[in-house]
Amino acid sequence: PALVADLSRDQIEITTSFTGTRLLLFGATDGPGDVIVVVRGPNRQEIVRQKERIAGIWVNRRPVTFDGVPGYYFQASTKKLNEVTSDAVLKSLKIGPERLSLPVAAGTSREDAKGYRAALIRLKRDQKLYNAPAAPIRFVGGRLFRTELLFPANVPTGAYTAEIHLFRGGKQVSVTKKELSV
């Protein structure tokens, strides 16, 4: 295969003393190319509320519900994403939080959803559940690569998927997936 990869562990156990952890994702390619790693999961429903000040009191108004939101999203790459491939390819592969498909509940206008979507991603980044910018992937000896995955103390429990993509000349030539449980 053009690409092989693995994780240092495929299970993270959360105990009362859990303060976050790091995992090593490593692999090898059959030649030159760029690697992008995306780790996401578990999907859940998220409600975003806008606060408004009315008569000196802050109140929640107009909640927007998103479905299929990854509770955790980590990305790493050998170069900036736009230097690896086109935005159209990144969008089709849903690489980058801003390119995720996040459907909203019926009755929400597209313009309202756009602002709430940006707020949802900003909140996830503030909670250290989405990383930005992409973490670095280091090549060792030309074909071996490695990156560290960071899982904060507030990481949600469930099933995760790590996707490792190999690109050459802007085109994806190989992809492999690894499962991880928290």
Side-chain angles (χ1 to χ4, degrees):
L3 172 69
V4 292
D6 206 356
L7 293 162
S8 57
R9 290 183 291 160
D10 61 0
Q11 186 170 6
I12 298 172
E13 295 196 26
I14 297 182
T15 63
T16 55
S17 62
F18 183 75
T19 59
T21 191
R22 296 171 186 256
L23 293 183
L24 178 65
L25 186 140
F26 57 93
T29 65
D30 68 348
D34 292 302
V35 177
I36 296 176
V37 171
V38 175
V39 180
R40 62 182 122 206
N43 287 345
R44 53 181 47 185
Q45 188 178 72
E46 296 278 350
I47 299 172
V48 179
R49 293 179 178 86
Q50 182 179 18
K51 293 196 181 272
E52 182 178 10
R53 191 174 182 138
I54 299 176
I57 299 171
W58 288 98
V59 295
N60 289 328
R61 65 177 267 254
R62 294 191 329 180
V64 172
T65 303
F66 292 91
D67 291 320
V69 178
Y72 174 84
Y73 189 94
F74 175 89
Q75 62 186 9
S77 61
T78 51
K79 296 179 185 172
K80 290 181 181 178
L81 295 177
N82 62 355
E83 294 175 7
V84 175
T85 190
S86 71
D87 192 58
V89 171
L90 293 170
K91 188 171 185 167
S92 71
L93 297 172
K94 297 178 177 87
I95 296 176
E98 61 282 351
R99 295 179 190 91
L100 290 173
S101 170
L102 301 175
V104 295
T108 304
S109 75
R110 179 173 279 178
E111 196 56 39
D112 278 348
K114 186 177 180 182
Y116 280 83
R117 185 184 200 302
L120 172 64
I121 292 170
R122 186 185 70 248
L123 290 169
K124 292 286 189 182
R125 285 183 172 149
D126 290 348
Q127 295 168 348
K128 307 291 187 221
L129 294 171
Y130 286 18
N131 72 326
I137 295 177
R138 306 272 187 247
F139 268 98
V140 181
R143 293 188 180 183
L144 303 175
F145 64 89
R146 62 178 282 151
T147 190
E148 275 193 336
L149 310 176
L150 306 173
F151 292 88
N154 59 338
V155 67
T157 59
Y160 289 69
T161 302
E163 296 174 351
I164 303 93
H165 304 267
L166 176 62
F167 288 87
R168 289 193 181 121
K171 294 182 177 28
Q172 180 177 303
V173 294
S174 184
V175 64
T176 187
K177 294 183 180 184
K178 294 292 177 183
E179 300 300 318
L180 172 67
S181 175
V182 176

